[in-house]
Each structure stands twice: as structure tokens, then as C-alpha cells.
């Protein structure tokens, strides 16, 4: 099973992905987490990523696509994966289609978690406070840019997947439980 969790920064993709990992044994592939690990180990990729992520901009499609492709072939992914934060551009979505096609598989569902944008600032502020500022991109200035980048580069994926009949939307303003049960309905 290939699931894509889709939505604006702070919409709850990571939270729902974790539930799916625990409940269904799927593997979560989060491009943001992969980049944060690269930053944590201080690799060359990490150094480059830090600057871009702190601004709220996107890493280059080639780097991200290569990074995800490598992980997709890991044996633990054979059961199915949840893509969280990837694809984020139409170019990434096209690269993903090619990648999956070459492996003879396809996307099962693209689940959009819809949230009211004003609430995202409060959520991100909350996350920053709870984590003791663990993510340096969790602040109002960077979030404003992350949202602008989301609208410009990522939102065009909605019609892309709608046209393929893959898009399912859930109300991300519901409780974590509420969202999880709608996601469960979609996944079946
Ligand atoms: P968010 O909470 O915004 O969904 P993520 O943890 O998914 O955060 O990503 C954090 C940052 O990592 C992004 O703002 C971007 O700089 C970089 N990033 C993550 N995934 C991608 C991707 N698919 N393409 C390009 N950049 C990415």
C-alpha cells in the first residue's frame, strides 16, 4: 500500500502517519525527518538542508527524489509506506509516478488533511513550546514562508491527484482521534 499524506505545514500529517505505523505496520517515509537526521549527523547534505529549512524554502527536487527512492527499496518498505512531506512539487510527483511505475506499483490514496490556516500559527507555536524549540523552522516568520511555498509549489498537486482520482480530503480541524478515524475509513 502506498499512501500519501498531504497538507499544509502543521496540519497533522506526522501525527496521523505515526498512528498508521502503529496500527497497520506501514513504514513512514518523512522527507522532513530524513533531512533532520542528515542535519543531526552533520553530513554535507545536512549542512545544506539546514539553511534551506530554516528559511522555509524547499530542497532541490533531485536531492529529495534520490533520498526517497533509496529508502523505498529498503526491505521493510515492502509492506507499504506512508509518504509524509513528499511529494511537495509537481516535479517530485512525476518522479514518484515513474519510480512506482518502474516497480510495478501505484499510489493507493492521497489523503489531504484540510486545516484552517489561522490555526496553524497557534499549532506551530505550541509544537515549538512543547518540544523546547527542537525545530528551528517552527516560528512565525518561517511558517509564513512555508505557507507561501506550500501555496505556490505544493497546492498544485491537489488538481494533479484529483485528476487521477486519488485525492481524498479529511477535516483536519477535528480532534486527533476524529481525523484518525476518517483516515481509517479512507484507508479501509
Ligand atoms: P512541515 O511541518 O512543514 O510539513 P517537514 O518536516 O515535512 O515540515 O519539512 C520541513 C522542511 O524540510 C521543509 O520546509 C523543506 O525545507 C524541507 N523538505 C521536506 N520535504 C521536502 C520535499 N519533499 N521537497 C523539498 N523540501 C522538503
Amino acid at each position: 500500500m502506498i499512501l500519501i499524506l498531504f497538507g499544509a505545514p502543521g496540519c497533522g500529517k506526522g501525527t496521523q502517519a505515526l498512528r498508521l505505523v502503529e496500527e497497520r505496520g506501514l513504514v513512514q517515509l518523512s522527507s522532513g525527518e530524513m533531512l533532520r537526521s542528515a542535519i543531526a549527523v552533520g553530513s554535507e547534505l545536512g549542512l545544506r538542508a539546514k539553511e534551506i529549512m530554516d528559511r522555509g524554502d524547499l530542497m532541490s527536487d533531485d536531492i529529495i527524489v534520490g533520498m526517497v527512492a533509496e529508502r523505498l527499496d529498503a526491505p521493510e518498505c515492502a509492506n507499504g509506506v506512508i509518504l509524509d512531506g513528499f511529494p511537495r512539487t509537481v516535479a517530485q510527483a512525476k518522479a514518484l509516478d515513474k519510480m512506482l511505475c518502474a516497480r510495478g506499483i501505484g499510489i493507493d490514496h492521497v489523503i489531504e488533511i484540510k486545516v484552517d490556516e489561522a490555526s496553524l500559527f497557534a499549532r506551530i507555536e505550541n509544537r515549538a513550546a512543547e518540544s523546547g524549540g527542537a525545530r528551528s523552522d517552527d516560528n512565525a516568520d518561517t511558517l509564513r514562508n512555508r505557507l507561501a511555498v506550500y501555496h505556490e509549489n505544493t497546492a498544485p498537486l491537489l488538481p494533479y491527484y484529483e485528476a487521477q482520482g486519488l485525492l481524498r480530503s479529511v477535516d483536519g480541524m477535528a480532534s486527533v482521534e476524529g481525523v484518525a478515524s476518517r483516515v481509517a475509513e479512507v484507508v479501509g
Side-chain angles (χ1 to χ4, degrees), residues 5-99:
L5 286 183
F6 186 91
C11 73
K13 296 185 292 284
T15 305
Q16 296 302 324
L18 280 183
R19 300 273 305 229
L20 290 162
V21 167
E22 281 161 13
E23 289 163 16
R24 297 181 187 248
L26 299 171
V27 169
Q28 176 190 14
L29 295 187
S30 158
S31 45
E33 286 302 328
M34 291 178 207
L35 294 171
R36 280 186 284 279
S37 307
I39 293 175
V41 301
S43 66
E44 202 180 308
L45 167 68
L47 292 176
R48 212 144 113 211
K50 173 140 179 54
E51 212 178 296
I52 291 172
M53 290 168 85
D54 282 352
R55 283 201 306 266
D57 288 334
L58 295 181
M59 290 289 287
S60 87
D61 289 332
D62 287 352
I63 290 180
I64 296 283
V65 166
M67 204 173 71
V68 173
E70 208 175 289
R71 290 290 300 276
L72 207 55
D73 286 327
E76 78 258 21
C77 292
N79 241 346
V81 295
I82 307 152
L83 296 170
D84 160 13
F86 174 87
R88 243 179 170 90
T89 63
V90 171
Q92 290 178 19
K94 289 186 172 159
L96 175 65
D97 284 345
K98 265 199 189 154
M99 230 186 269

Side-chain angles (χ1 to χ4, degrees), residues 8 13 19 26 32 52 85 104-105 110 139-140 176 181:
K13 296 185 292 284
R19 300 273 305 229
L26 299 171
I52 291 172
I105 47 181
V110 177
N139 61 73
V176 171
S181 64

